[in-house]
Amino acid sequence: MTTTRTFPPDFIWGTATASYQVEGAGREDGRTPDIWDTFCAVPGNIADGSNGSVACDQYHRYPGDIALMRELGVGAYRFSVAWPRIVPAAGGPANPRGLAYYDRLVDALLEAGIRPVVTLYHWDLPQYLQDKGGWPQRDTAFRFADYAGIVAGALGDRVDTWTTLNEPWCVAYLGYGCGAHAPGHKSHPEALAAVHHLNLAHGLGVQAIRAAAGEKAKTSITLNLSMTYPATDQAEDVAAAEQVWRIANGVWLEPELEGHYPEQVFADTAHVSDWSFIRDGDPADICQPLSNLGINYYSPNWVRRIPGAVTPTAAEAGANGWVGPHPGTETIESLPPDGELTAMGWSQHPEGLRDLLVRVAEAYPGLDLVVTENGSAWDDTVAPDGLVHDPQRVAYLAAHIEAIGQALDAGVPLKGYFAWSLLDNFEWACGYTKRFGLFYTDYATQNRIWKDTARWYQQLVTTNAVPA
Ligand code: FCB
């Protein structure tokens, strides 16, 4: 008899997207520009010179997309709210037409029996806030809290879970550190200031959500924790992996869940910043009760200490323009990805997801975890039968679902899994060249086409068991 892995009856299966990546309607109903509109307008920033002004047009096509999700059988949809639709100008007021869109979306999801899981910030900072300095500026955290309170007040009676931020790692380190994402700055001191103000925004945001939607509001944050392994078991490589863990993961986990930064991170980055932007009272504001922690996972990282490398002085660090993603890690390098790479050039190591979940669950016992993104990009084409056959994506998904099953077996309190993404969409600096969807987006017609992965996932989520 063939047995397949089954999942707990209340396990949540979902799909995820983000506002800028799918909505389009860039100038509609009072929306003003965000930092991605600005970043995309600079030649060379986006691989295909594109932007999110039309994207998947979900702003108009959400009823069709919800019908697809219903057919898929998912129980939850993780989407994000576009800040510049809600507060289009500095200081407000709230824009009723922007709020009305999310009102319609939430109602349509509930009607279809799909839980709305809302992310408040998936990278679309209003340009007017970047004009005042963006995330390296303290005031941005307070403006985020104002915005969070507005959305929670409007939708709080119907939203299942509130996620304050998506992947602050990318916001700080790609946006302000190495410049690969909007606003494209290359400054490690700015990146560390952004880290702190993102943490503050999270904590103030949770407080604003609870004030507006009540104590029962479920709150969360989504972190793309980097599963970092040492390249060898030699002490210097083990120490290198722990240093990367601190700057990649510890700077979010520890303040948000324990009320302090990892002490050693200040020494690791002393040549970059004195962290004087931390004020009395901030740690208490940042560390707020969470209903669960969202984790995004795609690929792990192996690191080693570069033989003979020395940490630069503050003057050298400022002058040499070293802009790897992690401040303070000049003496550490990552090994190149191995094995069959996805279209993003990322390696496939599902055991990294299991190991990550186990490590976080051991560090924070009692905290529910949710995989809020996981998926892979491949060079899909539409076959003569009109469908998309994507065996590599099915294999990636199946292997990672097995990995979360192993984490559950190990006792990890994992409550749900969201596949990235519902449909192919605007993949940030890669534009429309990378396809992560369960559904293929034909951008010329905006048709959504079933991929084999969507059929596989449909079978999984409707039976709660891995297809045999
Ligand atoms: C994550 C982002 C998401 C998507 C995937 C591929 O870092 O949160 O928007 O682009 O990567």
Side-chain angles (χ1 to χ4, degrees):
M1 195 183 86
T2 327
T3 53
T4 65
R5 182 180 278 289
T6 58
F7 285 82
D10 55 352
F11 196 79
I12 298 162
W13 297 107
T15 64
T17 63
S19 43
Y20 193 79
Q21 296 182 275
V22 299
E23 283 179 356
R27 288 288 172 276
E28 229 165 293
D29 291 336
R31 180 190 179 280
T32 55
D34 70 17
I35 55 173
W36 277 91
D37 293 312
T38 309
F39 188 70
C40 291
V42 178
N45 279 349
I46 308 298
D48 56 3
S50 65
N51 60 52
S53 63
V54 176
C56 307
D57 194 30
Q58 190 171 82
Y59 195 82
H60 302 110
R61 293 169 194 267
Y62 70 89
D65 288 345
I66 291 173
L68 276 184
M69 281 189 262
R70 189 179 211 163
E71 197 180 341
L72 197 59
V74 289
Y77 180 43
R78 174 178 179 256
F79 64 92
S80 76
V81 175
W83 188 346
R85 289 194 196 284
I86 308 302
V87 189
N95 172 22
R97 288 180 298 159
L99 283 167
Y101 167 66
Y102 297 104
D103 215 46
R104 295 193 294 276
L105 178 64
V106 165
D107 284 346
L109 286 166
L110 290 173
E111 187 133 320
I114 300 171
R115 300 181 197 203
V117 172
V118 174
T119 302
L120 285 164
Y121 186 70
H122 200 128
W123 307 354
D124 31 15
L125 185 71
Q127 182 58 41
Y128 63 78
L129 286 176
Q130 183 54 43
D131 292 343
K132 292 186 178 161
W135 287 110
Q137 287 301 318
R138 186 175 175 88
D139 183 62
T140 304
F142 292 84
R143 302 291 71 80
F144 175 77
D146 295 345
Y147 151 69
I150 292 168
V151 184
L155 306 177
D157 53 333
R158 285 157 291 159
V159 162
D160 181 82
T161 299
W162 294 98
T163 305
T164 52
L165 310 175
N166 175 73
E167 301 192 352
W169 182 98
C170 292
V171 179
Y173 298 143
L174 300 184
Y176 295 91
C178 71
H181 279 187
H185 293 198
K186 296 183 179 177
S187 162
H188 280 175
E190 275 197 33
L192 293 179
V195 165
H196 182 62
H197 298 133
L198 285 155
N199 277 323
L200 188 59
H202 159 74
L204 297 174
V206 169
Q207 295 176 45
I209 293 163
R210 287 172 177 267
E215 289 294 305
K216 63 174 192 333
K218 288 201 271 169
T219 52
S220 181
I221 184 166
T222 278
L223 303 176
N224 56 324
L225 298 176
S226 170
M227 186 58 217
T228 308
Y229 297 101
T232 71
D233 55 13
Q234 299 201 351
E236 61 268 30
D237 292 342
V238 172
E242 285 311 303
Q243 185 181 336
V244 171
W245 178 278
R246 283 192 290 278
I247 191 73
N249 308 328
V251 294
W252 318 109
L253 289 169
E254 294 192 28
E256 290 161 16
L257 298 170
E258 302 175 39
H260 56 79
Y261 282 94
E263 198 54 38
Q264 184 63 30
V265 99
F266 300 127
D268 294 340
T269 58
H271 55 295
V272 179
S273 174
D274 62 6
W275 294 74
S276 55
F277 38 74
I278 302 177
R279 297 204 191 156
D280 290 351
D282 287 356
D285 270 333
I286 292 169
C287 185
Q288 296 295 319
L290 296 183
S291 307
N292 63 61
L293 174 69
I295 295 179
N296 292 354
Y297 174 87
Y298 291 90
S299 193
N301 190 20
W302 274 265
V303 299
R304 64 173 203 137
R305 190 74 66 184
I306 304 167
V310 284
T311 300
T313 63
E316 286 165 354
N320 72 10
W322 185 84
V323 284
H326 293 130
T329 63
E330 296 90 343
T331 65
I332 299 172
E333 67 183 5
S334 293
L335 300 191
D338 62 335
E340 186 192 18
L341 306 185
T342 70
M344 294 296 282
W346 298 344
S347 58
Q348 306 181 65
H349 288 285
E351 70 280 8
L353 177 55
R354 179 200 59 212
D355 293 350
L356 180 61
L357 292 169
V358 168
R359 179 166 175 171
V360 175
E362 279 173 358
Y364 300 103
L367 177 66
D368 285 348
L369 305 181
V370 176
V371 174
T372 38
E373 283 182 29
N374 173 238
S376 59
W378 300 96
D379 294 327
D380 302 316
T381 50
V382 182
D385 64 4
L387 298 172
V388 174
H389 304 297
D390 56 343
Q392 293 150 309
R393 187 178 288 100
V394 173
Y396 179 99
L397 189 64
H400 287 77
I401 299 287
E402 170 57 21
I404 63 166
Q406 290 173 9
L408 283 163
D409 292 345
V412 172
L414 182 70
K415 301 301 172 186
Y417 173 94
F418 290 73
W420 184 270
S421 176
L422 171 66
L423 68 177
D424 300 335
N425 57 48
F426 177 76
E427 179 45 40
W428 308 113
C430 299
Y432 297 98
T433 66
K434 302 296 177 213
R435 295 177 174 274
F436 275 93
L438 298 174
F439 291 92
Y440 180 96
T441 305
D442 178 344
Y443 292 106
T445 61
Q446 290 292 355
N447 287 341
R448 283 49 164 147
I449 298 170
W450 285 77
K451 300 185 191 177
D452 289 350
T453 304
R455 289 290 173 209
W456 190 93
Y457 198 53
Q458 180 185 44
Q459 235 188 302
L460 170 75
V461 308
T462 53
T463 62
N464 221 15
V466 173

